[in-house]
């Protein structure tokens, strides 16, 4: 017998799959390891178990109680254990953290301690754009520093931006409305306030938090695994913090693709008079003219150039 579900959490070799009958704690088929297949949180899967029916004496945890109770490992009348039998095709995925089938990603960006890094922000945005995941930008710690400078840059580039105060809850209602019915990942550097924001949006999630290291100027890792939480008709995924992104490895895209990771460049690039223009050194390039006319932010263009060179170097190494 098989049943369809979605992986909400993975810890210690167990995959916690939400099904219409409740949460099943499953192991993956042994053949997955041979074929180097790893189920991800967010995957839609088929779960198989021995026997035709679930043991009536076993009470599965209702999906609606996911956030109120601990996960339970279910047993079956036949003595068999449920296994993840197959994984459905993904519309997108991340290798690190292992997460799939995301509609949007809420980039949580601290305005201080740690300070924002435009290059990292833009690199993450490019990866998301090229994976067809909508980037949303949430600036936290507005009680300590204004977000106006960054919001101006990214609003002009047609991104949805939010100013958040995790202490007072300011800005969370607007987020609540935007995220309705979507599967959204919370991503960003360690210490920016992802877990604090998750707790503000879902108080009973009780995600662990920690103060930023004063000596190092960066956050401590408080989230150790990926987990999907029910939220406003959809899901929120809390993810471990990270500080670097390998654009080529994450997106597996080329220098030709990169322009589509910078949405405000595209219209100018399409009207560029040069065929095959890289928008880096060419004179009278439409993108560079837009930069000169301040229709494109200098910080965004600087990020484009840096990422372009990184991918170019990677391409030459693999030739």
């Amino acid at each position: 017998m098989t049943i369809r579900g979605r992986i909400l959490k993975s810890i210690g070799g167990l995959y916690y799959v939400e099904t219409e009958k409740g949460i099943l704690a499953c192991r993956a088929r042994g053949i997955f390891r041979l074929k180097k297949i790893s189920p991800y949180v967010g995957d839609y899967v088929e779960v198989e178990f021995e026997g035709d029916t679930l043991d009536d004496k076993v009470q599965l945890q209702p999906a609606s109680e996911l956030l109120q109770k601990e996960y339970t490992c279910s047993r079956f009348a036949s003595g068999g254990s449920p296994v993840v039998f197959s994984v459905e095709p993904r519309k997108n995925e991340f290798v690190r953290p292992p997460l799939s089938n995301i509609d949007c990603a809420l980039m949580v960006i601290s305005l201080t301690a740690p300070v924002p890094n435009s290059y990292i922000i833009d690199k993450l945005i490019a990866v998301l754009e090229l994976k067809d995941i909508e980037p949303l930008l949430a600036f936290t710690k507005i009680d300590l520093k204004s977000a106006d400078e960054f919001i101006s840059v990214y609003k002009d580039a047609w991104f949805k931006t939010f100013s958040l105060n995790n202490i007072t809850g300011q800005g969370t209602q607007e987020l609540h409305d935007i995220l309705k019915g979507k599967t959204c990942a919370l991503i960003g550097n360690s210490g920016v306030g992802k877990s604090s924001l998750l707790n503000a949006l879902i108080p009973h999630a009780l995600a662990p938090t920690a103060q930023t290291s004063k000596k190092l100027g960066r956050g401590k890792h408080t989230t150790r695994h990926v987990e999907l939480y029910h939220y406003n008709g959809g899901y929120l995924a809390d993810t471990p913090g990270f500080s670097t992104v390998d654009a080529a490895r994450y997106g597996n895209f080329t220098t030709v693709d990169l322009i589509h990771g910078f949405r405000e460049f595209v219209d100018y690039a399409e009207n560029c008079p040069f065929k095959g223009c890289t928008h880096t050194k060419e004179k009278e390039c439409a993108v560079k003219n837009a930069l000169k006319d301040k229709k494109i932010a200098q910080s965004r263009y600087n990020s484009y150039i840096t990422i372009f060179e990184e991918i170019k170097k990677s391409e030459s190494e693999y030739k």
Side-chain angles (χ1 to χ4, degrees):
M1 177 178 175
T2 61
I3 188 170
R4 185 177 186 267
R6 191 176 194 188
I7 297 176
L8 301 182
K9 180 178 177 180
S10 173
I11 292 182
L14 283 177
Y15 299 92
Y16 296 89
V17 182
E18 180 182 35
T19 73
E20 61 183 12
K21 295 184 180 295
I23 307 298
L24 301 179
C26 313
R27 296 197 178 276
R29 297 176 65 197
I31 198 172
F32 281 7
R33 187 180 295 109
L34 295 175
K35 292 186 175 181
K36 296 183 179 180
I37 298 173
S38 296
Y40 288 175
V41 172
D43 276 344
Y44 292 97
V45 299
E46 289 286 335
V47 174
E48 183 183 63
F49 52 89
E50 297 177 7
D52 296 326
T53 60
L54 294 175
D55 189 339
D56 292 336
K57 296 180 181 179
V58 175
Q59 297 296 316
L60 293 184
Q61 176 187 332
S64 61
E65 297 179 9
L66 174 63
L67 296 175
Q68 283 74 36
K69 295 182 179 180
E70 294 293 325
Y71 292 103
T72 57
C73 296
S74 303
R75 295 172 299 169
F76 301 91
S78 63
S81 298
V83 295
V84 175
F85 180 77
S86 65
V87 178
E88 295 181 9
R90 300 162 178 156
K91 69 176 181 179
N92 51 53
E93 65 181 42
F94 284 105
V95 175
R96 191 187 65 185
L99 182 62
S100 68
N101 299 315
I102 301 302
D103 299 313
C104 58
L106 183 61
M107 298 173 55
V108 184
I109 304 160
S110 169
L111 293 165
T112 181
V115 297
N117 184 317
S118 295
Y119 161 67
I120 293 296
I121 294 171
D122 293 337
K123 200 170 187 179
L124 276 169
I125 288 174
V127 170
L128 293 170
E129 293 273 65
L130 291 165
K131 287 178 176 289
D132 198 25
I133 299 171
E134 181 185 10
L136 306 172
L137 282 69
F139 295 93
T140 63
K141 305 183 184 180
I142 59 173
D143 53 315
L144 301 177
K145 189 175 180 180
S146 170
D148 292 349
E149 177 185 350
F150 287 95
I151 286 178
S152 176
V153 168
Y154 292 101
K155 271 195 171 180
D156 287 348
W158 313 319
F159 292 103
K160 294 174 183 174
T161 62
F162 307 87
S163 297
L164 304 178
N165 185 326
N166 289 337
I167 298 174
T168 65
Q170 179 183 343
T172 54
Q173 182 57 49
E174 187 179 1
L175 263 182
H176 178 80
D177 297 337
I178 291 291
L179 298 180
K180 183 176 182 180
K182 297 179 179 179
T183 297
C184 180
L186 300 182
I187 63 175
N189 289 3
S190 301
V192 296
K194 294 189 308 299
S195 295
S196 295
L197 176 57
L198 181 67
N199 290 336
L201 295 172
I202 311 175
H204 45 283
L206 299 178
T209 61
Q211 292 184 341
T212 300
S213 168
K214 293 181 180 180
K215 182 178 180 180
L216 299 176
R218 61 175 183 261
K220 301 175 184 178
H221 292 269
T222 55
T223 300
R224 302 296 181 184
H225 60 271
V226 185
E227 182 168 357
L228 291 184
Y229 294 89
H230 284 276
Y231 181 71
N232 197 17
Y235 297 90
L236 279 179
D238 193 18
T239 65
F242 50 91
S243 57
T244 60
V245 177
D246 181 337
R249 180 175 63 82
Y250 263 70
N252 199 27
F253 47 80
T254 67
T255 50
V256 175
D257 301 321
L258 182 60
I259 196 70
H260 297 286
F262 288 76
R263 60 174 64 178
E264 73 274 35
F265 292 18
V266 174
D267 286 346
Y268 301 112
E270 289 178 347
N271 293 314
C272 195
F274 303 103
K275 184 177 180 180
C277 184
T278 64
H279 320 295
T280 57
K281 300 176 181 178
E282 299 84 351
K283 293 182 179 180
E284 298 304 318
C285 163
V287 172
K288 294 187 70 175
N289 285 339
L291 174 67
K292 188 188 306 180
D293 295 337
K294 297 184 177 180
K295 295 177 180 178
I296 289 174
Q298 184 69 54
S299 64
R300 290 278 288 163
Y301 184 75
N302 291 346
S303 295
Y304 172 83
I305 293 295
T306 303
I307 299 170
F308 182 93
E309 293 300 326
E310 285 182 358
I311 298 175
K312 183 178 178 181
K313 180 181 178 181
S314 178
E315 289 176 340
S316 64
E317 289 175 351
Y318 282 97
K319 283 183 179 179

